[in-house]
Amino acid sequence: MSGNWLYSEKVKEHFMNPRNVLDDEDKYESDGRGEVGSMACGDQMLVVLKIKDNIVTDCKWKTYGCASAIASTSMMSEMVVGMTLKEAYRIKPDDIVKKLGGLPEHKVHCSVLGDMALRAAIEDYYRRNGLESEIEIIEAKVICSCKNVTDKDIENFVKTGGKGFEELQKKTSLGTGCGKCIKEAKELLHGYEHLYG
């Protein structure tokens, strides 16, 4: 491989030697299971957990995704073992990216797959055990303050079949005021397109 590797050594290590990959899905008896993404765009993630006394004792995963998604989820699977459910539930993509020593800016959205699948697995555990009150509703974040467009609006746009930034802008008027939100909105849109295809 040439010297143009864009990733940290830690990312490379977790990509080449991923930890905790689920290779026995049929035999693995999980306490929580979360699956996110879409095979239509090639990124899909499954995370399964074992939990004892409110502590994550094992985290396994498998993905159809890029090097960043593989490395991010491998790192996340190591981070969460030994954490309480609440601690694991609150892990953010930035926490994973920091542990990896960074990711190229256009690949940060890949770390969201593992984070979302982990949350889904914990929520599955809560539902299986009658603990629905522990499920947290994530507040919408305003992306375009001029037009009051949130991350949830962008997510719902993609979920309902919307495609591309021009269509998003036409539907929501996002970025037609001061325009400061355009970069962040495009990154979010790209990430949601990978998740929901």
Side-chain angles (χ1 to χ4, degrees), residues 25-80:
E25 185 178 352
D26 295 337
K27 296 177 188 168
Y28 193 90
E29 293 183 31
S30 68
D31 296 312
R33 176 187 173 94
E35 197 165 353
V36 297
S38 163
M39 281 308 290
C41 67
D43 287 334
Q44 190 170 26
M45 178 76 61
L46 169 67
V47 169
V48 290
L49 301 172
K50 289 193 181 198
I51 297 156
K52 183 170 183 173
D53 300 328
N54 209 36
I55 303 286
V56 178
T57 58
D58 193 32
C59 176
K60 300 242 186 251
W61 60 277
K62 69 179 183 179
T63 187
Y64 300 97
C66 66
S68 297
I70 290 166
S72 297
T73 312
S74 173
M75 174 58 80
M76 182 207 70
S77 72
E78 288 192 328
M79 290 169 65
V80 299

Side-chain angles (χ1 to χ4, degrees), residues 6 10 16 22 26 33 50 55-56 61 68 71 81 86 92 100-102 109 111 113 120 133 191 194:
L6 296 173
K10 203 167 264 191
M16 302 295 259
L22 179 64
D26 295 337
R33 176 187 173 94
K50 289 193 181 198
I55 303 286
V56 178
W61 60 277
S68 297
V81 173
K86 282 205 182 295
K92 301 281 180 252
L100 285 170
H109 71 273
S111 64
L113 272 179
S133 62
H194 269 273

Side-chain angles (χ1 to χ4, degrees), residues 51 72 105 117 124 152 190:
I51 297 156
S72 297
E105 195 172 306
D124 179 51
K152 295 291 181 195
H190 181 66

Side-chain angles (χ1 to χ4, degrees), residues 5-22:
W5 182 262
L6 296 173
Y7 299 97
S8 71
E9 284 303 312
K10 203 167 264 191
V11 172
K12 184 176 177 181
E13 171 60 25
H14 276 271
F15 169 61
M16 302 295 259
N17 303 294
R19 281 49 155 201
N20 304 312
V21 175
L22 179 64

Side-chain angles (χ1 to χ4, degrees), residues 112-161:
V112 174
L113 272 179
D115 161 62
M116 290 180 73
L118 173 65
R119 285 183 62 86
I122 293 171
E123 289 174 0
D124 179 51
Y125 171 81
Y126 285 149
R127 285 188 194 94
R128 287 187 201 186
N129 291 279
L131 300 167
E132 287 87 350
S133 62
E134 297 295 323
I135 297 173
E136 297 174 10
I137 305 302
I138 298 174
E139 295 292 321
K141 175 185 174 191
V142 175
I143 303 301
C144 177
S145 53
C146 298
K147 301 297 179 181
N148 198 32
V149 179
T150 69
D151 57 345
K152 295 291 181 195
D153 295 323
I154 297 171
E155 183 178 17
N156 288 333
F157 166 77
V158 175
K159 278 182 164 180
T160 56

